[in-house]
Amino acid sequence: MRLSQFHLRTEKETPADAEIVSHKLMLKAGMIRKLAAGLYTWSPLGLRVLRKVEGVVREEMNRAGAIEMAMPSVQPKELWEETGRWAKFGPQLLKIRDRKEQEYCFTPTAEEAVTDFFRQEIASYKQLPVNFYQITTKFRDEIRPRFGVMRAREFVMKDAYSFHIDDDSLHAEYRNMYDAYSRIFTRLGLKFRAVAADTGAIGGSASHEFQVLAESGEDATVFSDGSDYAANVELAEAVSPGPRPAASESLRDVETPVQKTCEDVAALLDIPLQRTVKSVAMIGVDADGNDQFVLALVRGDHVVNEIKLAKLPGMGDYRLATEAEIAEALGSEPGFLGPLNAKKAIRVIADRSVAAMADFVVGANRPGFHIAGVNWGRDLPEPETADIRNVVAGDPSPDGKGILQIARGIEVGHVFALGRKYSEAMKCTVLDAAGKAVNPAMGCYGIGVSRIVAAAIEQNHDDAGIRWPEAMAPWQVAVCVINPKNDPAVAAAAEALYSELNAAGIDTALDDRGLRPGAMFADIELIGIPHRVVVSGRGLEAGTYEYRARTAAESENLDKAALLAKLAG
């Protein structure tokens, strides 16, 4: 591609509304332009990168045996009502009406559509397993779209869906997709981790996220320094700290007139924060389906994990208790809550770390007071115990190997073992070997294609701009021509090199725009082309080309043979 014939418009200033590196650099490099909140036009430059990512994804999906198809982005309400997701998906689902007042949605995901296709096309177990995939535009009505294409409302996604006669087949394909994803992100040159994850709104029995490691990541990724264990913070298990010490203090009231937080109470009493217990009041349901007041207890330096808590019996749709409900159950106000002296029977759920504590401090259920020297078994019944907190760096790994560390990550892929959630809801069946109609097991496998572009920039940039991994770069090489209009020999040499590199299968751009060297080099660095070759009159006289890798600090002068060897490698 001759850049004189290509639309390339870069910006010198950082856009005021851009918050993270990838958003800033994509706008400065002219890869995207904002149309509306969360909606972006991909320029020819941005589209080249997007297509490179799509190409790697498509090659590896095909290699893994998946079959490409295309489903409508606009889908009828009736299809989504079969699974209950028309209501359950919430306001992220963009709902629209046609001229006949029929309701549709702009799809954020395609489980319903692919299951409908399957139930019309596949009749027998002999046609299984099968894995259909597509690479299409999706839409989610984010409440606060931000960070450019990282959290846009419209995005490009690869979604795949597999169907199986039994769970063994599903698990085999789950592993196949896990391996395919690992190859995709490795080929794209990204530092990533596959982490065990919660199944969330998609549902299912197993799930792994693929996280690109970057400081700007929204997700906390937990991993062991002594094994391959990895999970996101929503799922990572906080193991029991060990046996409980013996009680050594007597129970006593402590005046805390204005101290409502564990931090303030610990400071007043001059004790470690780890000796305090935080009480979180909420409403769950009892065995009869009635509202039940629940007090969740975590150590003062820990945080309640809402997803773990919601998985406990009776807590699936829990909510925080109101002040009126707190006063009725505990006779107190927030800031002084605890499991002792409740006014009525309540359910107490203690985190494992709290169940292992002795001589701890909790709220007294009296404004202005806490209670110190509290012990299980003596002052309180032995608690219902569960893992209900977020892990923290330094916790032991659940597999017993090493210590947990936490890094930031950007989710770019997710694999789910869905089971029969959708096939049962949509009455989708096939005949098994005995001729019986059964619901097939399903898997779901998504990759955020447009998000990968931003995630790669977050991981690969410097003060000058983007530093693309080779597989994602708009071009691998930029041949830069110094003074092409006034030096025909230089222009001809650059043209010849440009043609030779492309003929050798090296995707090359010819910068023949006639810019001054400083401006030209700044553009090439900003847009992140991995290799730059400068053709100049001085170089021709010496029989050399000036070569510089995007990641190198200095240029080097190479003859043609050395240059071709370098670029071919």
Side-chain angles (χ1 to χ4, degrees):
M1 176 61 67
R2 293 171 175 82
L3 295 189
S4 62
Q5 300 172 10
F6 186 80
H7 177 75
L8 177 63
R9 182 186 170 190
T10 60
E11 305 286 349
K12 292 183 179 179
E13 301 300 323
T14 301
D17 63 340
E19 300 174 70
I20 60 174
V21 169
S22 60
H23 193 191
K24 294 174 182 177
L25 289 179
M26 291 182 79
L27 289 170
K28 285 187 71 175
M31 292 179 62
I32 56 172
R33 293 291 182 245
K34 183 178 177 179
L35 181 64
L39 303 176
Y40 289 89
T41 298
W42 288 77
S43 74
L45 177 71
L47 190 61
R48 286 189 68 90
V49 177
L50 193 65
R51 292 290 185 252
K52 293 288 183 74
V53 176
E54 285 184 14
V56 171
V57 171
R58 182 172 282 108
E59 286 175 14
E60 290 299 337
M61 290 300 294
N62 293 343
R63 176 183 169 187
I67 305 167
E68 188 169 10
M69 65 181 299
M71 290 173 275
S73 293
V74 175
Q75 299 178 4
K77 172 184 178 181
E78 292 76 16
L79 204 59
W80 283 66
E81 284 185 322
E82 288 188 53
T83 61
R85 291 209 300 174
W86 183 261
K88 288 182 181 178
F89 212 92
Q92 284 192 11
L93 192 64
L94 179 64
K95 299 174 181 179
I96 53 182
R97 293 176 184 266
D98 67 7
R99 68 181 66 194
K100 297 178 180 179
E101 292 299 308
Q102 298 297 310
E103 289 190 88
Y104 297 84
C105 66
F106 196 116
T107 175
T109 182
E111 284 81 5
E112 285 82 1
V114 77
T115 305
D116 180 68
F117 175 81
F118 178 92
R119 67 185 175 184
Q120 296 181 59
E121 298 287 324
I122 306 295
S124 168
Y125 76 97
K126 296 178 181 179
Q127 297 166 276
L128 302 181
V130 66
N131 186 338
F132 298 113
Y133 82 95
Q134 61 177 351
I135 301 176
T136 59
T137 298
K138 301 289 195 299
F139 189 96
R140 293 185 185 180
D141 198 1
E142 295 278 358
I143 189 171
R144 185 171 166 252
R146 59 196 187 279
F147 307 152
V149 300
M150 190 76 77
R151 190 167 288 280
R153 293 195 292 169
E154 183 179 274
F155 51 94
V156 178
M157 179 180 176
K158 187 285 300 177
D159 48 328
Y161 308 90
S162 64
F163 295 82
H164 309 269
I165 193 63
D166 56 37
D167 291 341
D168 288 344
S169 175
L170 169 59
H171 296 152
E173 184 62 10
Y174 184 94
R175 186 71 222 186
N176 181 37
M177 286 292 100
Y178 182 103
D179 293 341
Y181 276 32
S182 297
R183 292 194 300 271
I184 287 168
F185 299 122
T186 299
R187 282 185 60 183
L188 292 173
L190 300 173
K191 300 183 185 72
F192 70 95
R193 276 186 177 269
V195 301
D198 184 72
T199 55
I202 301 294
S205 59
S207 171
H208 279 85
E209 291 176 358
F210 286 78
Q211 298 269 356
V212 169
L213 302 181
E215 288 301 317
S216 59
E218 294 184 275
D219 300 319
T221 299
V222 179
F223 59 94
S224 171
D225 64 3
S227 71
D228 292 333
Y229 176 82
N232 67 22
V233 75
E234 297 171 341
L235 196 67
E237 181 185 1
V239 300
S240 176
R244 180 192 303 161
S248 62
E249 296 182 7
S250 58
L251 198 67
R252 61 194 185 279
D253 287 347
V254 178
E255 285 193 65
T256 52
V258 296
Q259 288 77 18
K260 294 186 176 183
T261 68
C262 289
E263 290 81 2
D264 289 343
V265 171
L268 177 70
L269 301 181
D270 193 25
I271 60 173
L273 183 59
Q274 293 89 333
R275 288 191 54 194
T276 66
V277 169
K278 187 186 308 179
S279 302
V280 182
M282 55 198 65
I283 303 297
V285 296
D286 61 20
D288 297 322
N290 301 313
D291 283 354
Q292 181 179 45
F293 191 92
V294 180
L295 207 59
L297 308 181
V298 295
R299 216 169 65 185
D301 58 329
H302 290 159
V303 175
V304 171
N305 184 306
E306 297 176 0
I307 289 178
K308 291 180 180 178
L309 193 61
K311 291 180 179 179
L312 299 181
M315 301 300 291
D317 294 314
Y318 79 86
R319 60 173 174 83
L320 294 177
T322 65
E323 290 195 15
E325 289 167 332
I326 290 171
E328 179 186 357
L330 301 179
S332 184
E333 63 185 56
F336 305 99
L337 308 184
L340 288 90
N341 308 319
K343 291 179 66 177
K344 67 177 188 179
I346 64 172
R347 179 184 179 186
V348 176
I349 305 173
D351 180 66
R352 292 169 175 173
S353 59
V354 173
M357 293 174 68
D359 302 326
F360 53 90
V361 178
V362 294
N365 287 326
R366 279 193 297 155
F369 284 90
H370 280 69
I371 301 177
V374 181
N375 285 274
W376 300 108
R378 187 192 70 183
D379 311 311
L380 284 165
E382 291 295 336
E384 175 185 347
T385 303
D387 172 22
I388 60 170
R389 71 170 175 92
N390 289 341
V391 299
V392 295
D395 280 344
S397 178
D399 63 4
K401 302 174 183 177
I403 300 299
L404 293 182
Q405 299 182 17
I406 298 178
R408 306 304 300 178
I410 300 167
E411 182 189 344
V412 291
H414 213 146
V415 293
F416 299 89
L418 294 176
R420 294 166 179 80
K421 174 181 177 179
Y422 293 92
S423 60
E424 289 178 352
M426 297 183 69
K427 298 180 175 58
C428 170
T429 63
V430 294
L431 297 179
D432 65 12
K436 178 183 177 183
V438 296
N439 300 113
M442 291 176 60
C444 169
Y445 320 97
I447 286 181
V449 176
S450 49
R451 175 176 272 207
I452 286 174
V453 176
I457 295 172
E458 292 294 327
Q459 198 176 78
N460 300 276
H461 67 271
D462 59 18
D463 291 341
I466 303 166
R467 294 166 54 166
W468 290 116
E470 295 262 354
M472 297 179 62
W475 299 277
Q476 293 170 276
V477 180
V479 174
C480 298
V481 193
I482 304 298
N483 199 19
K485 293 181 180 179
N486 298 324
D487 195 332
V490 168
E495 181 78 28
L497 179 62
Y498 163 69
S499 298
E500 187 172 352
L501 291 175
N502 277 313
I506 300 171
D507 195 5
T508 304
L510 177 65
D511 196 342
D512 58 346
R513 295 175 294 166
L515 300 180
R516 292 180 179 274
M520 178 166 49
F521 296 164
D523 272 357
I524 297 305
E525 287 190 320
L526 173 60
I527 67 176
I529 298 179
H531 307 280
R532 186 186 78 198
V533 180
V534 179
V535 182
S536 66
R538 182 182 303 175
L540 289 183
E541 290 178 7
T544 61
Y545 301 88
E546 182 185 295
Y547 166 78
R548 183 176 176 182
R550 179 64 182 81
T551 56
E554 302 291 339
S555 300
E556 51 186 318
N557 294 314
L558 304 173
D559 62 28
K560 192 170 187 179
L563 175 66
L564 294 177
K566 175 88 70 172
L567 296 176

